Amino acid sequence: MGDKTSSKLMCYCAFCKTPHRIYKKKGLGFWQFVVALTLTVSFMWSYWNSWNLQAIPLLLLSLFLSELILHFRWRLALICRQCGFDPLIYKKSPRLAASKVKSFLERRKKDPRFLLAPAIKFPKKIKSNPL
Ligand SMILES: [Zn+2]
């Protein structure tokens, strides 16, 4: 549903069907590399006043930190803010995902930030046909 230039994508929670946005990319892109390189070169010129190979570990560190931050941002955006459903945990262990949703809903009952939030549309249980 989102436009092609946006870094976010509109999707719906698989549990409560609440719309939320997730990030398309979970890692570094070209522009993040350019920003890290620019920061490293500017630091190198302000500290050593010349080209210096000692800045390479600094570049690697900034790339690593950028990758880490982008991955955590992507990972946290996957979790539904209304019900706490995590699709990645659900793929590995549905029982663990269910227990996390239950604990989130218990915390949600006590949290005053959710007093005016819209009610969660719980999925209906499908009764097995006795035929
Ligand atoms: Zn949800």
Side-chain angles (χ1 to χ4, degrees), residues 13-18 80-85:
C13 173
F15 183 72
C16 69
K17 297 178 179 47
T18 305
C80 177
R81 293 178 196 275
Q82 295 299 318
C83 68
F85 179 75

Side-chain angles (χ1 to χ4, degrees), residues 42 55 85-86 90 103 108:
S42 61
F85 179 75
D86 189 339
Y90 182 77
S103 66
R108 183 188 155 111

Side-chain angles (χ1 to χ4, degrees), residues 1-11 20-25:
M1 294 220 352
D3 59 295
K4 289 180 180 176
T5 57
S6 173
S7 64
K8 290 182 174 181
L9 185 70
M10 189 72 152
C11 71
H20 68 140
R21 292 172 184 263
I22 60 170
Y23 288 94
K24 289 179 188 173
K25 291 193 294 185

